[in-house]
Amino acid sequence: MIPIIIDCDPGQDDAVALLLAFAAPQELEVVGVTTVAGNVALELTAENARKVCELAGRSDVKVFAGCPRPTVRPLRTAEHVHGKTGLDGADLPAPTMKLQDEHAVDFIIATLLGHEDGVTLCPTGPLTNIAVAMVKEPRILPKISGIVLMGGAIGAGSTTPAAEFNIYTDPHAAETVFTAGVKLTMLGLDVTHQALTTPERLAAIRAIGTPVAAAVAGMLEFSGKRNAERFGLAGAPLHDPCVIAYLLAPDLFAGREVHVAIETASELTMGRTVVDWWGSTDRPANATVIDRIDADGFFALLTERLARLEG
Ligand code: BDR
Ligand code: CA
């Protein structure tokens, strides 16, 4: 049983990551869900996370709102991908479960300090909350079992030619996290662009026939539309659930231990993850960068797990 905190900015694919985690109660203990500003504003990510908990019948999960903007740069949201609500494509009712009063950063700190065996952090949005927690309370560092994050790219960016959205949105936070000396696993665009929501895969999810499955298929059809067209792929990349799938079935993935630096100076390449894939420098490895996924295995896992959720 791996205790995890999911730090997210739902976002349709964040929502599917949450659902996949809820569908694995034997393997993952979701200690809490923290939200951050990213795909949409903080108020919406905090509301959306609770909508998704309720969709999965998990109103017992504690949801905390965190930082309302990146640490240094202004917030640039992505409604052009995710729609006005951040969860367009599913018509989920307003949540009745309450948002926790504690700030997400304080929850992350208190949970880590109070946990004997350590907790794995699963960020699927900008790294603001995680970095602020590290700065506010450095004693958490040895308590972090690992950070498995969606963000960055070895190759081309997506938000800019150089950078992926989560790292681009708060590159300074990313730099803090990547230089913290904790065990990091990076699942970037190189891997998520192999995990495509083809019409067949979405049909298999829809065919489950539950409200959860209908919501997932609807959301991914909505958010995928623009990306599939834009990238000219057979479907849209499914980003954030890769983080949870990695915890559940690491054998579906492969990568290498390398050094990753974060660009925070040049406006042209701001937020680029500079991955030393070929060992061109003598900088020691600070991350496991994943570059391969068994996409059929991943979608089989996702579909089989979603079918377990009653909602
Ligand atoms: C990442 O950015 C957001 O649009 C998604 O939720 C994902 O976390 C992909 O670049
Ligand atoms: Ca996200």
Side-chain angles (χ1 to χ4, degrees):
M1 188 80 143
I2 308 174
I4 61 171
I5 295 174
I6 303 177
D7 184 62
C8 57
D9 62 337
Q12 291 90 348
D13 61 327
D14 303 79
V16 181
L18 288 170
L19 292 169
L20 181 56
F22 295 150
Q26 316 284 311
E27 297 101 327
L28 303 177
E29 181 203 352
V30 183
V31 183
V33 172
T34 53
T35 77
V36 68
N39 288 327
V40 286
L42 180 69
E43 293 70 27
L44 282 173
T45 61
E47 177 169 311
N48 290 344
R50 286 177 291 143
K51 284 183 177 176
V52 175
C53 289
E54 289 188 357
L55 172 68
R58 292 298 307 272
S59 50
D60 59 302
V61 172
K62 292 196 166 91
V63 177
F64 302 81
C67 297
R69 46 152 271 224
T71 48
V72 176
R73 289 162 65 82
L75 176 65
R76 297 217 202 142
T77 51
E79 284 84 1
H80 57 289
V81 178
H82 301 278
K84 240 174 77 176
T85 66
L87 292 185
D88 282 25
D91 194 11
L92 302 177
T96 55
M97 65 188 273
K98 136 173 170 350
L99 183 65
Q100 299 295 309
D101 292 332
E102 193 178 12
H103 193 281
V105 168
D106 295 322
F107 168 74
I108 292 169
I109 292 171
T111 304
L112 285 165
L113 291 183
H115 222 278
E116 293 216 333
D117 304 326
V119 176
T120 298
L121 304 180
C122 301
T124 60
L127 290 163
T128 318
N129 288 340
I130 309 294
V132 172
M134 288 175 167
V135 171
K136 187 172 181 191
E137 183 46 275
R139 287 184 304 150
I140 65 173
L141 296 178
K143 298 301 208 101
I144 299 173
S145 306
I147 299 182
V148 181
L149 66 91
M150 191 281 134
I154 307 166
S158 51
T159 294
T160 74
E164 176 280 332
F165 178 81
N166 290 338
I167 307 296
Y168 178 76
T169 300
D170 197 340
H172 300 88
E175 185 177 46
T176 298
V177 171
F178 276 79
T179 56
V182 302
K183 187 172 180 291
L184 267 182
T185 305
M186 170 179 138
L187 294 123
L189 298 176
D190 320 278
V191 64
T192 67
H193 279 232
Q194 298 169 44
L196 302 178
T197 56
T198 60
E200 297 73 28
R201 287 169 175 161
L202 288 183
I205 291 174
R206 196 178 277 289
I208 296 169
T210 58
V212 168
V216 168
M219 287 192 291
L220 295 184
E221 265 155 24
F222 181 92
S223 62
K225 199 165 181 305
R226 181 175 174 279
N227 277 340
E229 281 162 13
R230 180 177 170 216
F231 298 122
L233 297 168
L238 183 51
H239 306 287
D240 295 340
C242 288
V243 166
I244 305 300
Y246 179 81
L247 293 176
L248 293 176
D251 290 351
L252 293 175
F253 300 85
R256 19 172 126 150
E257 289 184 26
V258 289
H259 186 272
V260 181
I262 309 293
E263 175 65 84
T264 57
S266 153
E267 201 50 52
L268 184 65
T269 53
M270 182 64 72
R272 176 147 191 85
T273 43
V274 180
V275 178
D276 189 4
W277 195 248
W278 300 113
S280 314
T281 71
D282 54 11
R283 294 177 204 136
N286 61 350
T288 301
V289 173
I290 304 299
D291 69 323
R292 274 156 292 155
I293 179 173
D294 169 354
D296 285 333
F298 165 67
F299 276 95
L301 171 75
L302 178 64
T303 308
E304 187 270 317
R305 291 301 176 126
L306 290 176
R308 298 187 191 186
L309 292 174
E310 293 289 308

